[in-house]
Amino acid sequence: MDVLRGAARVIVRYRVAFALIALFLLVVSIYGMSQLRFESDLSSMLPEGNPAIDDYNALQNEFQSGDSTIIVVKIDSIEPGGVYDIRDPEVIAAVYELEQRLRKREYITDTISIADVYMQVLGRLPRTEEEARFVLDMLPPEQRYSLVSRDYTMTMILVTISREKKTETLVRVYEGVQEDMESVKFPQNVEVIQTGNIGITYRILQLLQRDLNKTMAISFLLVIALLLYFYRSPVKALIPLIPLVFGVAMTLGFMGLAGIPLDLATTTIGAMLIGMGIDYGIHVTNRYYEERRSGRDIEEAAAEAVAETGKALLGAALTTIAGFAAMYLSTLPMLHNLATTLILGLSLAALNAVVITPAVIILEEDVMKKLRGHYVPPEVRSSSGFIGSAFHSLGKAIKARPHAFLGAVFLVTLVFAYGVTQVTTEVRLEKFVPPGMPEIEAIMDVRTEFGGQDELYVLVRADDVRNPAIVRAMYRFENQVKADSYYNGVFSSESLADVVYRQYGYIPNDGEKIKAALASYQGSGLVSSDYSMAVIKFTGDFGGSMDEFRRIMRYFEGEAERAQGTEFPPGVRLALTGDLYLNYVLDQLTSVEINRISAYGTIFVVLIVMLLFRRIRVALAMITPMFLGALWTVGFMGLAGIPFTQTLAGVISMIVGLGVDYGMHLTHRFLEEMNEGSTRPIVTAVGSVGPGILAGALTTAGGFLALLAGELPTIHDFGVTLAFGIFASMMAAYLVTPALLQVFYGRKIGGDSR
């Protein structure tokens, strides 16, 4: 306490110096913010050294087939003067022209479209619609309807792309393809949309950038509105906000300087820090005003506010940071980045609250005194009127009937315990884009009309994949998988075995013939340059529900393991890979990480509480709301249908870290009052600290709810879940912590129940 009071005196004496240091750091942070970059590459979300990443990198490096984009060409209206059939020669000519433009791009390795069929059959494009119909009617139905929809209102161009896995490259590729699309004049009534992996990822990048700015702005507005209500003065409302602005800017600046990207998790950092960081400033400000109203002078009030509130703030900050630090134990790099930014941001918020807030308050008092000639005692709405009376009454009720409140909490917990059993996970990239987006609508149309265009790769490793026994095994494996198409959603496949079979009508035992067939093949790469790897590409509809997606991926894993053990020669290894399989691997990792992070986060927080307070009953009163808040939050997710995603994998650890703060503030004030001899410490603690907790929780939840303004569904879910977690932890603290303290210390305190 003496150390904190000494620190308060230093702050008062050197407040101008502290302000200048903060301004200098703000300037450096603004430069760092200009270096921020956005990241949406799925492979960057998985840990280094993971076998799935190694296989994925091999696919990218050797076959350049991990990226693709789909250009959907469809009839979107029936206005007079336009075309009504995708077989119209004008449409086919436009498709062909677009293909030729795309093939000039250095990063495009292959394109496939309906125009290629006419060039192969006729040697030219069709001149009449009758000619176009005749050529398509010659094709087998399965081949025909892989190119055009059954009602002839849609076709597509499949584009294979080779690119570096950098955000800047993705943007350049997408915009280059889009430029070519816009340069080709399609007939009236025809709409052209770029979708697939590149299109969806680009859209997510756009939304990430928009969501960061929008959610931060709305979060600030919500917090300012709440502060204006509670403090009744624009000037006093800005006091706890100023250190927060510095903290958020410094955090974003550090991210830019340290090269930490803004991704699906860290894009939320601005709104989250605004919501969480304001809590610290509010507690210091409220205690300062409380001390000033009791008659203390400026220096005494600052010393008392920092000394008394500072210990609780330090404990709250440490437990929150401990909850976030558990995310470092995750193997997911994305959660490491989120933990780093949150810990840094909250550390700065807590430091600013203790160091800068008192200095700003005193500066404001000096200015207002010069303007008015005297000091006006502040009236904080949360400590007076209806809100103050309500918390006073709550404290009296809990003091009188603590067991009744604990029983009510138990019944509520039973409801949310059922919700815990209903929680699911979702990690597929396309699910992060809001419904109704043209790219998502287009990919849904592709799946409906063409049996799906999801791509899954099987990597075959051997000394020489041209070995006839290996090629024959690949052919059997492919056909076995396609025979189960009703079960696995496979539409087509392509491999070295198909090249050989088309050449000879069978798989020869002569290795030289296989080499000759491969040498004459002109399509996309199916074999590595040293012939140690080959790829089998399966195309189909592997989407649907998450359970269906997992079932299909497990099917492929089982088939690959079976074929490796029974059909392929010894020493040959099969491995699933590609963007789709990375989704599945990420799903498995996310399920494991949720349990690990939550368990370690809880252990870290409990240990810090025990080290700080060293009393079992006191610690239990603090941490029980934390457990309940986390349990209620997971139950809410299950009841509301909110799945765990990569972003939400660490949410329980975050709620645990945040939820203990409210119980800590109440317990600390209770112990302070009890040590001073009060016979009603429960009533005083709830009546005095309760309003501050409400103000802090409302501003924190307001910051989180600002994420609803984002367009990405995963950002919505993150905001709603964290906001609910804050309210759940707050309510648990109000109802459980005072009740437990009354049960534990009621006889020792004595006194009446008024």
Side-chain angles (χ1 to χ4, degrees), residues 63 110 112 493-500 502-503 513-527 535 537:
F63 302 99
D110 193 23
I112 301 173
S493 66
E494 181 71 13
S495 74
L496 165 61
D498 297 311
V499 173
V500 175
R502 284 196 296 267
Q503 179 80 6
K513 286 188 174 182
I514 292 176
K515 293 178 183 179
L518 187 59
S520 62
Y521 175 64
Q522 300 295 320
S524 58
L526 296 173
V527 180
V535 68
K537 174 183 174 181

Side-chain angles (χ1 to χ4, degrees), residues 335-621:
L335 292 184
H336 293 181
N337 291 339
L338 182 60
T340 299
T341 52
L342 284 174
I343 289 172
L344 175 69
L346 287 180
S347 299
L348 288 170
L351 182 64
N352 288 339
V354 174
V355 175
I356 297 178
T357 303
V360 173
I361 291 176
I362 294 170
L363 183 62
E364 185 264 348
E365 282 211 42
D366 289 342
V367 172
M368 296 306 293
K369 186 175 182 180
K370 288 181 179 180
L371 292 175
R372 297 183 177 180
H374 61 88
Y375 169 71
V376 179
E379 278 295 325
V380 180
R381 195 186 301 270
S382 60
S383 301
S384 59
F386 170 75
I387 294 177
S389 175
F391 277 103
H392 185 77
S393 299
L394 176 63
K396 291 172 61 178
I398 293 174
K399 184 178 187 301
R401 298 180 180 84
H403 292 94
F405 281 89
L406 293 175
V409 168
F410 176 75
L411 294 177
V412 172
T413 302
L414 290 178
V415 175
F416 286 112
Y418 167 74
V420 172
T421 65
Q422 307 301 305
V423 177
T424 60
T425 60
E426 176 61 79
V427 298
R428 291 170 293 178
L429 198 62
E430 67 189 60
K431 300 298 181 181
F432 293 166
V433 179
M437 284 285 180
E439 293 82 1
I440 293 299
E441 295 295 325
I443 202 68
M444 292 298 105
D445 288 342
V446 168
R447 286 183 175 154
T448 301
E449 297 292 345
F450 301 106
Q453 288 297 325
D454 294 329
E455 295 176 353
L456 181 66
Y457 298 85
V458 178
L459 200 62
V460 181
R461 296 177 185 266
D463 292 335
D464 190 334
V465 294
R466 297 171 297 179
N467 183 326
I470 295 176
V471 177
R472 191 175 295 109
M474 291 171 64
Y475 186 74
R476 287 195 299 266
F477 173 64
E478 272 190 89
N479 282 282
Q480 177 60 50
V481 170
K482 287 192 287 188
D484 293 338
S485 60
Y486 67 94
Y487 183 78
N488 57 34
V490 169
F491 181 71
S492 64
S493 66
E494 181 71 13
S495 74
L496 165 61
D498 297 311
V499 173
V500 175
Y501 190 84
R502 284 196 296 267
Q503 179 80 6
Y504 302 110
Y506 66 99
I507 306 296
N509 286 323
D510 187 348
E512 294 303 318
K513 286 188 174 182
I514 292 176
K515 293 178 183 179
L518 187 59
S520 62
Y521 175 64
Q522 300 295 320
S524 58
L526 296 173
V527 180
S528 64
S529 57
D530 62 357
Y531 305 109
S532 65
M533 288 184 288
V535 68
I536 305 172
K537 174 183 174 181
F538 289 102
T539 304
D541 183 2
F542 309 134
S545 68
M546 198 64 197
D547 288 338
E548 183 72 5
F549 171 71
R550 292 190 192 102
R551 181 189 64 76
I552 292 174
M553 292 300 106
R554 286 194 296 267
Y555 164 87
F556 274 103
E557 284 184 330
E559 284 299 300
E561 184 177 354
R562 178 196 61 78
Q564 179 177 309
T566 61
E567 295 182 6
F568 284 82
V572 178
R573 175 178 171 261
L574 271 61
L576 299 183
T577 188
D579 288 315
L580 200 68
Y581 188 65
L582 286 190
N583 278 319
Y584 175 70
V585 173
L586 186 58
D587 173 59
Q588 305 306 302
L589 285 174
T590 300
S591 299
V592 173
E593 297 305 316
I594 290 168
N595 296 326
R596 180 193 299 177
I597 297 169
S598 302
Y600 280 109
T602 302
I603 292 171
F604 290 165
V605 170
V606 171
L607 286 175
I608 286 179
V609 171
M610 293 300 299
L611 287 172
L612 287 175
F613 293 91
R614 301 179 184 180
R615 283 184 277 182
I616 296 294
R617 290 186 295 181
V618 170
L620 187 62

Side-chain angles (χ1 to χ4, degrees), residues 389-409 621 625 662-663 666-667 670 679-690 693 729-747 749-754:
S389 175
F391 277 103
H392 185 77
S393 299
L394 176 63
K396 291 172 61 178
I398 293 174
K399 184 178 187 301
R401 298 180 180 84
H403 292 94
F405 281 89
L406 293 175
V409 168
Y662 302 128
L666 283 167
T667 304
F670 169 85
T679 58
R680 306 171 67 207
I682 289 293
V683 179
T684 304
V686 174
S688 60
V689 179
I693 290 176
S729 300
M730 178 189 71
M731 292 305 300
Y734 283 150
L735 301 177
V736 175
T737 298
L740 288 177
L741 290 171
Q742 182 63 30
V743 170
F744 295 153
Y745 295 99
R747 291 184 180 179
I749 297 167
D752 58 30
S753 61
R754 292 177 295 172

Side-chain angles (χ1 to χ4, degrees), residues 219 222 226 268 271-272 275-276 416 629-630 632-634 636-637 642 648 651-652 654-655 658-659 662 693-694 696-709 714-732:
S219 181
L222 288 173
L226 288 167
T268 63
M272 288 178 64
M276 292 185 291
F416 286 112
W632 292 356
T633 301
V634 178
F636 166 76
M637 291 175 65
I642 297 175
L648 284 167
V651 72
I652 303 305
M654 295 169 67
I655 293 298
L658 291 167
Y662 302 128
I693 290 176
L694 176 64
L698 286 175
T699 51
T700 301
F704 293 154
L705 288 175
L707 297 175
L708 289 174
T714 185
I715 303 297
H716 291 188
D717 293 345
F718 198 50
V720 170
T721 302
L722 283 174
F724 181 88
I726 290 300
F727 281 121
S729 300
M730 178 189 71
M731 292 305 300

Side-chain angles (χ1 to χ4, degrees), residues 14 62 128 160 224 236 307 320 325 333 483 497 506 515 524 625 638 653:
Y14 299 107
E62 294 291 342
T128 64
T160 304
I224 290 171
K236 287 183 170 54
T320 303
Y506 66 99
K515 293 178 183 179
S524 58
S653 179

Side-chain angles (χ1 to χ4, degrees), residues 229-276:
Y229 173 79
F230 283 119
Y231 290 107
R232 300 181 177 183
S233 163
V235 175
K236 287 183 170 54
L238 289 175
I239 290 172
L241 193 64
I242 290 173
L244 177 64
V245 172
F246 279 71
V248 172
M250 290 174 188
T251 303
L252 293 174
F254 171 82
M255 290 176 66
L257 295 172
I260 297 175
L262 287 162
D263 54 30
L264 290 169
T266 53
T267 297
T268 63
I269 193 69
M272 288 178 64
L273 288 180
I274 293 168
M276 292 185 291

